[in-house]
Amino acid sequence: MREYELMVIYSPQLDEEALTAQIERTKELIVGVGGEVEKVDQWGKRRFAYEIKKNTEGFYVVIDFKAESGATSEVERILKITDEVVRYLLVRRDVE
């Protein structure tokens, strides 16, 4: 299994319960494709350097997980079509 880091920016219109539900949904998605969530780090609401999809801020969440290489394409596909996700970045971490 490979190690990945997923940064997701959720919509600023979400309240605390909806944000928690979206994070849980993302974690369930990772587990559903055969991954193992290692750590979830919530950075809170941050201001953007420029406007994205008519938003000037968003909730930043970083999820560290392990998964097989083919599983990440399904995670990206679902994140692309989720309305509450403003942006995401999925990168493979280097093992030192």
Side-chain angles (χ1 to χ4, degrees), residues 7 9 21 24 29 31 33 36 40 49 53-54 59 67 69-70 73 75 77-78 86 88 90:
M7 175 176 271
I9 304 174
E24 286 301 316
L29 171 65
V31 172
V33 297
E36 300 172 9
V40 177
K53 293 184 182 178
K54 299 184 181 179
F59 291 103
S69 59
S73 60
V75 173
R77 186 185 74 79
I78 298 297
V86 177
Y88 72 90
L90 178 62

Side-chain angles (χ1 to χ4, degrees), residues 7-25:
M7 175 176 271
V8 184
I9 304 174
Y10 293 102
S11 173
Q13 284 81 24
L14 297 176
D15 60 2
E16 192 66 35
E17 288 179 20
L19 177 62
T20 304
Q22 281 299 318
I23 294 169
E24 286 301 316
R25 185 173 169 209

Side-chain angles (χ1 to χ4, degrees), residues 33-69:
V33 297
E36 300 172 9
V37 176
E38 293 180 331
K39 185 175 85 170
V40 177
D41 189 13
Q42 295 186 37
W43 291 8
K45 191 183 271 191
R46 302 276 175 115
R47 191 158 183 77
F48 298 154
Y50 52 90
E51 192 173 286
I52 303 171
K53 293 184 182 178
K54 299 184 181 179
N55 293 311
T56 57
E57 57 188 11
F59 291 103
Y60 284 68
V61 178
V62 178
I63 302 173
D64 294 334
F65 68 97
K66 289 183 179 178
E68 297 297 330
S69 59

Side-chain angles (χ1 to χ4, degrees), residues 73-85:
S73 60
E74 178 65 13
V75 173
E76 288 185 311
R77 186 185 74 79
I78 298 297
L79 289 174
K80 281 181 190 174
I81 61 174
T82 304
D83 292 334
E84 292 82 4
V85 174

